[in-house]
Amino acid sequence: MTLLRRTLIAAASVAVLSASFSALAQDIKPRLIRFGYGLNEQSNQGRAAKVFADEVAKLSGGKMKVRAIGAAALGPDNQMQQALIGGAQEMMVGSTATLVGISKEMALWDTPFLIGNVKEADTLLDGPIGDKVRNKLQDKGMVGLVYWENGFRNLTNSKRAITKMEDMQGIKLRVMQNNVFLSSFQTLGANAIPLAFSELFSALETNTVDGQENPFNTILSSKFYEVQKYMTVTNHVYSPWIVTASKKWWDQLSKDEQKVLMDAAKVSRDFERKDTRDEAAKAMGDLKAKGMQINELSPVEAGRMRDKLTKVYASIGADIGMDLWNETQAELKKIRSG
Ligand code: TF8
């Protein structure tokens, strides 16, 4: 054997070895991941889903492909959750509020006026309380990866400007399929009607319901201004979204694959929160320009609504367990003093 030949063979075996080494170091197989969501592609949810898909491709060297499927084309939240649990769909992002029937601790995030600003939101959701609630999903067949921001919710309707609680009387108000939202708005005097988000635009358009409540971003991206004249800035609750995976599927992934998804989810979260906040900051002006009549509640009226809504606190505490409730209050106290 010539020296050259020997050198070539040695070089080739080093190449083979190092290739298999990096394959070992990165145990990643080709994967197709269907990632469903409910809003349209032009929404904050759609933009962040795309960031997640791009990041997964980047971190996996193109082996893991996320197909982001929006506008509830894979079904409303509840249907996608069941598909994840059964292993028929890999991933989704949706409201924590629609998960309460599966994992009762999620109702913590439905508590009116629990979170007062985005600093409290990020610290609470990304800290031990958020982790605890997220990890409860594992017993139910889902893996919770990160929280995204849906945002502070506000009221819209087609009937009249709501300047005081009594104005809510008789308003047919769509709420999420969730008991806290149902009883909160019943308490305020509205005729609360639970409905999937995917049905909402046409329900508003046909006057099956008069109103709904969602963050500025969604009122804008789902074009609710076309069918809703009035908006009242209530900020009655901070709504998170949660990125979830099918546990059945997740458990078959290698540690490296799971890490790619978790790292990409965090990148998407940071992008999504900034994007959502930037959009929300100018959304009120945009909605006014689209013809909506917007009012803020007087401090006295806001206080009255708040007092009414905090009446649901006891039942939330009972549902999620007083330990979690008390830990959350303690954590919030810490955040507020820090
Ligand atoms: C609602 C929620 C929705 C989300 C979304 C479909 O009102 O705020 O925006 O569930 O993921 O249903």
Side-chain angles (χ1 to χ4, degrees):
M1 208 184 276
T2 64
L3 181 61
L4 176 65
R5 200 142 173 229
R6 246 184 269 160
T7 317
L8 280 177
I9 289 173
S13 51
V14 166
V16 167
L17 256 181
S18 64
S20 59
F21 253 96
S22 71
L24 265 183
Q26 280 278 84
D27 180 9
I28 296 174
K29 293 194 182 68
R31 304 264 179 197
L32 181 65
I33 302 159
R34 282 158 301 176
F35 183 97
Y37 61 95
L39 301 190
N40 59 48
E41 264 180 59
Q42 286 75 41
S43 66
N44 52 342
Q45 203 174 45
R47 290 189 293 271
K50 190 168 181 313
V51 167
F52 176 67
D54 291 347
E55 194 64 23
V56 169
K58 193 178 113 192
L59 296 178
S60 68
K63 284 195 206 152
M64 298 169 78
K65 288 197 176 66
V66 173
R67 197 187 314 149
I69 305 165
L74 295 178
D77 283 10
N78 289 339
Q79 194 178 317
M80 291 196 284
Q81 289 154 8
Q82 292 308 325
L84 260 59
I85 292 168
Q89 181 183 325
E90 292 76 27
M91 294 187 75
M92 65 173 286
V93 63
S95 263
T96 54
T98 52
L99 273 169
V100 169
I102 293 172
S103 193
K104 60 181 172 27
E105 291 81 5
M106 283 290 162
L108 174 62
W109 312 125
D110 302 330
T111 309
F113 304 107
L114 179 75
I115 290 171
N117 55 52
V118 293
K119 178 183 168 249
E120 289 175 14
D122 295 355
T123 318
L124 194 63
L125 288 160
D126 300 346
I129 302 286
D131 287 348
K132 195 175 215 174
V133 173
R134 182 169 65 78
N135 289 331
K136 292 275 181 199
L137 283 173
Q138 299 241 5
D139 304 334
K140 311 289 176 179
M142 292 169 90
V143 179
L145 281 81
V146 291
Y147 297 97
W148 288 359
E149 176 160 298
N150 187 352
F152 288 96
R153 303 179 78 93
N154 294 304
L155 264 184
T156 69
N157 83 96
S158 57
K159 288 275 182 200
R160 54 183 168 263
I162 310 253
T163 56
K164 56 182 184 309
M165 202 155 52
E166 288 69 19
D167 296 332
M168 305 259 308
Q169 283 292 333
I171 298 261
K172 286 180 286 175
L173 189 85
R174 175 271 178 175
V175 291
M176 290 187 282
Q177 292 152 304
N178 169 293
N179 277 334
V180 180
F181 277 85
L182 188 64
S183 60
S184 292
F185 284 97
Q186 280 170 342
T187 304
L188 290 178
N191 179 3
I193 302 166
L195 199 66
F197 184 84
S198 50
E199 314 277 319
L200 181 51
F201 188 91
S202 79
L204 292 167
E205 195 175 30
T206 57
N207 294 315
T208 307
V209 295
D210 305 315
Q212 64 88 43
E213 41 83 53
N214 253 301
F216 289 141
N217 308 67
T218 300
I219 297 166
L220 197 58
S221 64
S222 290
K223 298 192 162 55
F224 289 160
Y225 54 80
E226 288 180 355
V227 287
Q228 298 280 272
K229 176 81 187 157
Y230 305 100
M231 176 154 91
T232 310
V233 181
T234 48
N235 292 318
H236 50 273
V237 67
Y238 176 93
S239 235
W241 281 325
I242 186 165
V243 175
T244 50
S246 159
K247 179 142 188 341
K248 252 190 187 163
W249 170 75
W250 179 265
D251 287 346
Q252 296 164 19
L253 300 178
S254 70
K255 288 275 165 293
D256 287 334
E257 290 166 339
Q258 292 177 351
K259 186 171 180 328
V260 163
L261 294 173
M262 198 54 174
D263 290 349
K266 285 181 179 158
V267 169
S268 73
R269 172 194 67 197
D270 296 345
F271 165 85
E272 195 272 349
R273 284 179 180 160
K274 185 177 183 311
D275 179 55
T276 297
R277 286 161 197 175
D278 289 349
E279 184 182 51
K282 55 185 227 12
M284 212 201 278
D286 292 344
L287 290 168
K288 273 186 188 154
K290 301 279 187 196
M292 284 193 98
Q293 190 180 309
I294 305 178
N295 71 288
E296 308 212 12
L297 286 174
S298 72
V300 175
E301 284 307 319
R304 285 180 70 217
M305 274 200 199
R306 203 182 167 112
D307 284 350
K308 268 263 162 154
L309 283 176
T310 50
K311 297 233 161 68
V312 301
Y313 279 20
S315 73
I316 299 172
D319 285 350
I320 67 169
M322 282 318 286
D323 286 350
L324 178 59
W325 179 266
N326 292 332
E327 283 167 36
T328 305
Q329 296 304 330
E331 188 70 16
L332 276 168
K333 215 169 165 187
K334 218 164 78 189
I335 298 168
R336 282 169 191 153
S337 69

